[in-house]
Amino acid sequence: MSAYQPAQPTTPGFEQTMPGGLPQQQQQPNMFQVSSHPLALLFLILFKGCALALYLLGNFFTDNFILIFVLCVLTLAVDFWTVKNISGRLLVGLRWWNEVNEDGTNQWIFESRDQAVGVNASDSRVFWTVLYATPAIWGLLAIVAFFSLKIQWLLIVIIAVLLSSANLIGYLKCDKDQKQRWNQISSGASGSFMGNMVSGLMGNSMAAGVMGRLFSRG
């Protein structure tokens, strides 16, 4: 009979040792597998990638600048609308828009999730990373186009910077508004709790005083 051999502990991130002594590494889940809304995450990245691909590689397929310009602007517009109305609402629970009042002034309007509703940490991290990176990438391309004297291509980059920056600013304002409202709710709840506690203590002390007088001598 063979001697009993205890099971060897496995190192996190590795499976059982393969024949030959080489460990087999487990496949880590990607951001789409851990996402609560993988389709929204896909379109968050897809339209941005398409716009960049059209801008950088369009010349390899056609010399028609007007066609590339129209396709880039349409893709950027679809990406702006998708991020503003769908991606932010699903991935981080935020939504913003801007309205023009009758007197010509702009009014920012924000929507945010309920405080009790959690957000997928992976979705939030990817969303904010992409949101910050997009205007930065287009900004670098704007510098390259400017010093290369490609003025017509600079028009596409300016539109991209404006649209991506508008989404970034809108969501930063929305996130700030959400945190302020949550702080107000928390402060109000704390104040209400303290007030109820003080009132209860005062009521108990008054009741104890009355009972003491009733049962005291005289």
Side-chain angles (χ1 to χ4, degrees), residues 90-107:
L90 295 178
L91 299 178
V92 292
L94 300 174
R95 184 168 176 256
W96 69 273
W97 67 92
N98 190 281
E99 292 183 354
V100 180
N101 299 322
E102 295 181 355
D103 57 359
T105 57
N106 291 328
Q107 180 181 3

Side-chain angles (χ1 to χ4, degrees), residues 163-200:
L163 292 178
S164 57
S165 298
N167 258 331
L168 176 60
I169 294 172
Y171 276 111
L172 287 175
K173 287 180 175 289
C174 189
D175 184 60
K176 181 179 179 181
D177 177 78
Q178 178 195 57
K179 291 177 180 178
Q180 288 177 347
R181 289 192 289 110
W182 283 5
N183 290 334
Q184 291 175 358
I185 293 174
S186 300
S187 300
S190 300
S192 177
F193 174 77
M194 292 298 296
N196 292 335
M197 186 173 66
V198 171
S199 299

Side-chain angles (χ1 to χ4, degrees), residues 37-217:
H37 303 279
L39 192 60
L41 193 65
L42 172 64
F43 285 110
L44 171 71
I45 301 171
L46 179 63
F47 292 123
K48 292 176 174 60
C50 289
L52 283 169
L54 286 169
Y55 178 82
L56 296 173
L57 305 176
N59 271 342
F60 292 98
F61 300 97
T62 179
D63 294 331
N64 191 340
F65 172 77
I66 301 299
L67 177 61
I68 298 175
F69 179 86
V70 171
L71 291 177
C72 279
V73 172
L74 287 176
T75 307
L76 290 168
V78 173
D79 174 69
F80 173 81
W81 185 90
T82 303
V83 174
K84 175 177 171 291
N85 295 289
I86 299 177
S87 301
R89 178 171 55 86
L90 295 178
L91 299 178
V92 292
L94 300 174
R95 184 168 176 256
W96 69 273
W97 67 92
N98 190 281
E99 292 183 354
V100 180
N101 299 322
E102 295 181 355
D103 57 359
T105 57
N106 291 328
Q107 180 181 3
W108 291 85
I109 302 177
F110 307 113
E111 286 183 353
S112 59
R113 70 187 188 281
D114 189 83
Q115 190 173 6
V117 179
V119 171
N120 186 301
S122 176
D123 287 342
S124 178
R125 181 172 59 254
V126 174
F127 177 82
W128 287 108
T129 301
V130 172
L131 208 64
Y132 277 103
T134 303
I137 293 173
W138 284 110
L140 292 175
L141 293 175
I143 295 174
V144 173
F146 177 79
F147 285 104
S148 300
L149 300 179
K150 296 180 179 179
I151 304 302
Q152 58 182 4
W153 292 94
L154 188 59
L155 295 175
I156 299 176
V157 180
I158 290 175
I159 295 173
V161 171
L162 290 176
L163 292 178
S164 57
S165 298
N167 258 331
L168 176 60
I169 294 172
Y171 276 111
L172 287 175
K173 287 180 175 289
C174 189
D175 184 60
K176 181 179 179 181
D177 177 78
Q178 178 195 57
K179 291 177 180 178
Q180 288 177 347
R181 289 192 289 110
W182 283 5
N183 290 334
Q184 291 175 358
I185 293 174
S186 300
S187 300
S190 300
S192 177
F193 174 77
M194 292 298 296
N196 292 335
M197 186 173 66
V198 171
S199 299
L201 291 174
M202 291 179 64
N204 291 336
S205 61
M206 291 177 63
V210 171
M211 294 299 295
R213 291 181 180 180
L214 288 175
F215 289 95
S216 62
R217 292 184 179 182

